[in-house]
Amino acid sequence: MEVTQIIIQVLNSISYGLLLFLLAAGLSLIFGLMGVINLAYGSFFMLGVYLSLAVIEQTGSFILALLGAATAVSLVSMVMEVCFIRKIYNRELDQVLLTFGFAYIFMDIVRWCWGGTPQSLPKPVMLQGSISILGAIFPVYRLAVIFVGILLALVLWLIVEKTRMGVIIKAGVDDKEMVSGLGINIRLYFTLIFALGAFLAAVGGVLGGPITGAYLGLDSEILVLALAVVVIGGLGTLKGAFLGSVLIGFMETFGNAFFPNYAMMTIYITMVAVLVLKPNGLLGKDERP
Amino acid sequence: MFLGVTLLIALIILPFGLGSYGLSLMISVLIFGLFAMSLDILIGYTGLVSFNHATFFGVGAYVVAILFYRGWDNFWLALPAAVAASVLLATVLGLVVLRSSGPYFLMITLAFGQMIFALAWKWRTFTGGDDGLPGIPRPDLGFPVSMWNEQNFYYLVLVFICLSFLLLRQLFRLPLGRAIIGVKESESRMQALGYNTWLLKYLAYVIAAGFAGLAGVLYVYYNGFISPQELNWTMSGMAILMVVIGGTGTLVGPVLGAGIILILQNLLSAYTERWPLVIGMLFVICVIHVKDGIAGYVMKLWEKGWKGYESPGSEKPN
């Protein structure tokens, strides 16, 4: 391998890893902060892809698509949280069934509205083309994914670690009654977190859509990818999710380059290897809820 | 006991009262009932919500199909081989997934289930990829009873599900089974009593996989076709719904749950294309309203007047 090729592969790994982080961050947040297993997470992503497709077809604007799809999906998730999820905090099996049911519902709605034919999304005009980095040609769109990924990671880290909201939510997870007793509307915060998770999934969908395309079955693929990232990184830690995604990004990209026939297995092999060494993931805590 | 015998007699005379459509539906109900029953070992008795149970069902079915394609179409050879393959896979997977518990366990099993699904999808030379493996004939048992006759096949399935039920019921009466139930009720207590709870869970996982494999064998012989879809997570989720609707920790309940869902699915798909939407809503309603499952409800009614006895582990796991 030449130096320029290595540079390209490294950049590819990072951009793929950060795309994965966009996918997994919301799931990690919802599980880590609320303890809710959300199997409809991939559906939020898929809704994001399809909604942005609809907006782009109507208006041609990528920005409008991003805003519209993310807002719509967040609103849907808020309704879901207020009407259903709220009733079943701390009930694992019920969460699984409920969110699995919603995955079914969203899947069928997408099939109803858009049909079963796979569709592709155009890349936004301003991000087409490529630039040269140290003599290596690299697509602008991938650089944009890297940029947004890092930005989002920073914003999320600030929200969780440095703001009042983050503190309240972490306290609420430990002792809901106590936090409510302090006069804080903890339910509202939980709803917001759930919506934030869905928002992230939708943003991931709009940004990742041009790479993944839009098809039925995208929901479960994304869910599994996000689960793998979160499991590898350690459930419920954003840092872990970040680390996990970048690790998978590198494994996938370099695995593809060296062993093209086993490409789809690299992510699982990574997962097994990590779990055998650290059952709770790279940065997972030892105690379990 | 009386209830059980009545149910068995009803199931034995049922084919005479059913048309061919009803009979084929009932065969599916029993096969999926066995599948759901095997999942109940984990959810209802061990307290493990596993999301890759379809893996073992699918592996059982695939082994039969692959053996047939390689020229081995002996039922008495394919059946144990398929069940053994499911068991073997579970002994390996169990080592990894059982290192974690609770929601971690669920997510990891889901991820591994999808891994096997992806493998079946891509490994064309063995599995036929997304085309699946069609044309698996009904088994030849070696005695002069044709399994192409729906009624005979129904009885074959009935025999297998009854045997499985009796075996499992006996298992949960033995000290080993009681210990497994103990893990569900309180793992730390069992540890304090000196039990190796990891081993108990591991055993339950492997046993459940074996019975799921058996259901898969019957499925592929009945359906004549296997595709990666049978390994997909939707299949595992459907099995969980069957168990919960029917009643966890009852063994019979999940069969009832399978009946409710499959019959509903058949009725609905005759009227609307949107039945996945309805099934999805069923999940939601089930979570909000059904507490003990149908079987739990019936059994409570029954046993209140009988001996005031509550079945072990009929409450929902957390």
Side-chain angles (χ1 to χ4, degrees), chain A residues 27 31 35-40 83-84 87-88 90-98 100-109 111-112 219-221 223-224 227-228 230-231 234-235 264-265 268-269 271-272 275-280 285 287-289, chain B residues 43 49 51 96-97 99-108 110-112 114-119 122-123 232-238 240-242 244-245 248 273-288 290-291 316-318:
Chain A
L27 188 75
F31 182 78
V36 170
I37 301 172
N38 184 9
L39 297 182
C83 296
F84 301 103
K87 297 189 175 136
I88 53 169
N90 305 327
R91 280 159 56 188
E92 184 197 321
L93 183 60
D94 286 344
Q95 290 166 5
V96 170
L97 283 172
L98 185 91
F100 184 71
F102 272 105
Y104 247 83
I105 293 174
F106 289 138
M107 183 188 71
D108 207 41
I109 288 176
R111 195 204 306 262
W112 198 350
D219 51 352
S220 63
E221 270 177 43
L223 175 70
V224 170
L227 278 179
V230 169
V231 163
L235 288 163
M264 53 137 203
M265 297 309 288
Y268 298 111
I269 293 168
M271 193 167 85
V272 174
L275 285 179
V276 166
L277 296 172
K278 300 205 69 175
N280 292 320
K285 291 170 214 128
E287 72 239 279
R288 289 151 190 166
Chain B
I43 296 184
V49 184
F51 221 109
V96 183
V97 298
R99 289 169 71 97
S100 44
S101 59
Y104 300 68
F105 175 76
L106 184 131
M107 293 192 185
I108 292 168
L110 176 52
F112 275 109
Q114 292 310 95
M115 170 177 101
I116 312 271
F117 169 67
L119 201 64
K122 301 272 162 94
W123 203 2
N232 205 353
W233 71 310
T234 43
M235 189 80 167
S236 301
M238 202 57 89
I240 297 181
L241 182 65
M242 287 170 183
V244 172
I245 280 194
T248 58
E273 253 180 75
R274 298 268 78 84
W275 64 265
L277 200 68
V278 183
I279 294 278
M281 289 174 183
L282 191 68
F283 272 92
V284 175
I285 294 167
C286 174
V287 168
I288 304 298
V290 181
K291 280 280 174 282
K316 274 190 181 185
N318 282 312

Side-chain angles (χ1 to χ4, degrees), chain B residues 121-154:
Chain B
W121 197 267
K122 301 272 162 94
W123 203 2
R124 288 200 144 266
T125 46
F126 248 100
T127 63
D130 53 344
D131 299 330
L133 297 173
I136 312 300
R138 292 280 167 83
D140 178 5
L141 301 193
F143 23 87
V145 182
S146 167
M147 283 301 139
W148 290 95
N149 178 321
E150 297 295 281
Q151 207 160 321
N152 293 343
F153 197 81
Y154 172 87

